[in-house]
């Protein structure tokens, strides 16, 4: 019951915050200097299509009615048409979002598992050479500048060695070949994913290792660890079954926030590797004044960040009952 009440409380807070963000974004687009119609209507549209879109968005109505139209369109997924693509914005987002989720979810989860595993080993060997080497390696990867690292990997492994494709997500010759089966297409995507996924893995891995190491060192000072040793449990059992699960709580928070900000934070990675995801579309829409697509992208980012925070809070409360009270 306590957990359920906590979930409803946090969900209510998230909904309020999201509608505040929704309102702020509405005001920015409607009250900014200039004509909101010229920002939201493609000048290349025919007069009939422009008039129809104005009616859908409520741009010919007073500001209060425009806000109601805005809320209604958001709830129904009607974000207008992209100026550049000439397609509904919701369709573009639906096409790009799975690519972003595939790349970032895979890389962050792999980095989290590696960071937790090596972080608990480093803490167990505190002050030894293994701990020093792991800590220094994590600090180096954690502080690397992402675009610089991505360009170095492209230059070495794609340009010089030719092991991986330089950019893109697929090879046209594979996907246009009628004899290429689903397995070969999956391998082709994985081949293109290795460099961007490796870049994200290295950037996030160091952070998770350092967080896990620090948390483990604090956990090993707790009384229940001393009790476990007094019971005669092996050091491996104490490390893996008593210390590690409790020490992993801060990593859970970090992973959740990393996944939340991967959509907008991935703009640099997706741009460097020309990966067709939401981050790249966000950069493109802003730089090309594609306002409907930019607005929908910002709303998607806000929604994903808030929902991810909710999931992290609930998971944290589930793992640590003290959070519920």
């Amino acid at each position: 019951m306590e957990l359920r009440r906590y979930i409803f409380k946090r969900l209510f807070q998230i909904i309020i915050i999201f509608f505040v963000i929704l309102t702020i974004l509405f005001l920015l687009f409607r009250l900014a200097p200039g004509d909101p119609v010229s920002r939201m209507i493609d000048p290349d549209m025919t007069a009939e299509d422009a008039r129809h879109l104005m009616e859908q968005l409520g741009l010919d109505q007073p500001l209060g009615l425009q806000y109601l139209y805005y809320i209604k369109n958001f709830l129904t997924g009607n974000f207008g048409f992209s100026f550049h693509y000439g397609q509904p914005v919701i369709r573009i987002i639906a096409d790009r979002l799975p690519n972003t989720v595939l790349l970032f979810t895979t890389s962050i989860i792999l980095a989290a598992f590696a960071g937790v595993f090596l972080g608990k080993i480093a803490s167990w060997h505190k002050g030894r050479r293994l701990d020093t080497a792991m800590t220094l390696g994590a600090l180096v990867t954690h502080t690397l500048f992402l675009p610089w690292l991505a360009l170095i990997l492209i230059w070495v492994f794609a340009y010089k060695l030719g092991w991986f494709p330089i950019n893109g997500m697929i090879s046209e010759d594979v996907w246009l070949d009628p004899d290429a089966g689903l397995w070969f297409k999956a391998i082709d995507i994985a081949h293109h994913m290795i460099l961007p996924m490796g870049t994200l893995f290295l950037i996030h891995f160091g952070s998770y290792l350092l967080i896990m190491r620090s948390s483990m060192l604090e956990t090993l000072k707790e009384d229940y660890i001393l009790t476990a040793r007094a019971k005669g449990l092996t050091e491996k059992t104490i490390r893996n079954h008593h210390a590690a699960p409790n020490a992993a709580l801060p990593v859970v928070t970090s992973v959740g926030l990393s996944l939340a900000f991967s959509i907008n934070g991935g703009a640099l990675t997706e741009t460097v590797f020309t990966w067709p995801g939401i981050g790249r579309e966000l950069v493109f829409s802003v730089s090309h004044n594609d306002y409907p697509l930019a607005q929908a992208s910002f709303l998607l980012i806000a929604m994903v960040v808030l929902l991810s925070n909710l999931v992290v809070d609930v998971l944290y409360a589930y793992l640590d009952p003290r959070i519920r009270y």
Side-chain angles (χ1 to χ4, degrees), residues 242-254:
H242 289 74
N246 292 285
L249 287 175
V251 182
V252 171
T253 304
S254 181

Side-chain angles (χ1 to χ4, degrees), residues 79-92:
F79 298 104
F81 284 77
S82 167
F83 296 168
H84 177 77
Y85 295 101
Q87 298 179 0
V89 170
I90 191 67
R91 184 185 302 170
I92 298 171

Side-chain angles (χ1 to χ4, degrees), residues 5-321:
R5 187 181 298 115
Y6 179 81
I7 293 173
F8 282 122
K9 177 183 175 183
R10 294 294 295 135
L11 182 60
F12 178 74
Q13 293 173 347
I14 291 297
I15 292 174
I16 295 298
I17 294 172
F18 182 75
F19 271 93
V20 170
I21 295 173
L22 201 65
T23 304
I24 292 173
L25 195 58
F26 167 80
L27 294 175
L28 286 175
F29 273 85
R30 295 307 194 278
L31 300 180
D35 181 15
V37 175
S38 63
R39 287 196 296 271
M40 301 302 294
I41 304 296
D42 188 353
D44 295 330
M45 279 185 174
T46 63
E48 183 179 353
D49 289 340
R51 185 169 58 254
H52 179 64
L53 186 57
M54 282 184 63
E55 293 174 357
Q56 281 189 326
L57 299 176
L59 294 177
D60 55 346
Q61 302 292 334
L63 189 64
L65 285 177
Q66 286 187 37
Y67 182 71
L68 295 179
Y69 274 101
Y70 179 75
I71 298 297
K72 173 194 170 186
N73 289 331
F74 169 77
L75 295 176
T76 56
N78 181 14
F79 298 104
F81 284 77
S82 167
F83 296 168
H84 177 77
Y85 295 101
Q87 298 179 0
V89 170
I90 191 67
R91 184 185 302 170
I92 298 171
I93 290 177
D95 289 341
R96 304 293 189 270
L97 184 59
N99 302 334
T100 296
V101 171
L102 173 65
L103 175 62
F104 284 87
T105 303
T106 305
S107 59
I108 290 174
I109 289 177
L110 288 176
F113 276 112
V116 168
F117 177 75
L118 295 179
K120 67 182 181 181
I121 293 177
S123 65
W124 206 255
H125 297 81
K126 178 185 176 183
R128 303 178 188 174
R129 291 182 180 178
L130 181 62
D131 174 41
T132 303
M134 287 185 178
T135 303
L136 287 176
L139 285 171
V140 170
T141 58
H142 179 57
T143 55
L144 287 174
F145 185 49
L146 192 149
W148 177 83
L149 175 61
L151 291 173
I152 289 296
L153 292 179
I154 290 174
W155 183 73
V156 174
F157 295 103
Y159 179 71
K160 287 294 184 180
L161 299 177
W163 291 353
F164 305 106
I166 292 180
N167 54 31
M169 180 179 174
I170 59 173
S171 301
E172 291 186 3
D173 55 341
V174 174
W175 285 76
L176 294 177
D177 186 0
D179 297 327
L182 184 61
W183 177 249
F184 286 100
K185 292 180 179 179
I187 292 176
D188 182 56
I189 292 176
H191 190 213
H192 284 77
M193 271 183 63
I194 289 177
L195 284 184
M197 186 173 67
T199 302
L200 294 168
F201 176 89
L202 290 174
I203 292 296
H204 290 95
F205 159 76
S207 173
Y208 299 146
L209 190 152
L210 294 172
I211 292 173
M212 185 63 184
R213 178 184 179 276
S214 177
S215 182
M216 275 283 289
L217 290 175
E218 291 298 321
T219 304
L220 291 174
K221 299 176 184 177
E222 298 290 339
D223 292 338
Y224 64 86
I225 300 296
L226 183 62
T227 303
R229 287 198 174 100
K231 289 179 179 179
L233 298 178
T234 63
E235 294 295 299
K236 183 178 180 181
T237 301
I238 295 173
R239 182 186 67 194
N240 295 334
H241 298 285
H242 289 74
N246 292 285
L249 287 175
V251 182
V252 171
T253 304
S254 181
V255 170
L257 294 177
S258 296
L259 289 172
F261 286 99
S262 64
I263 290 183
N264 63 320
L268 290 174
T269 306
E270 291 181 353
T271 301
V272 172
F273 290 98
T274 61
W275 185 267
I278 292 294
R280 185 164 169 257
E281 289 302 328
L282 176 61
V283 173
F284 179 86
S285 61
V286 171
S287 59
H288 289 77
N289 298 328
D290 195 340
Y291 293 105
L293 182 56
Q295 180 178 244
S297 299
F298 282 123
L299 285 175
L300 176 65
I301 290 168
M303 186 166 57
V304 170
V305 169
L306 291 174
L307 287 176
S308 298
N309 275 276
L310 175 63
V311 171
V312 169
D313 285 343
V314 172
L315 186 58
Y316 218 113
Y318 175 77
L319 296 173
D320 190 351

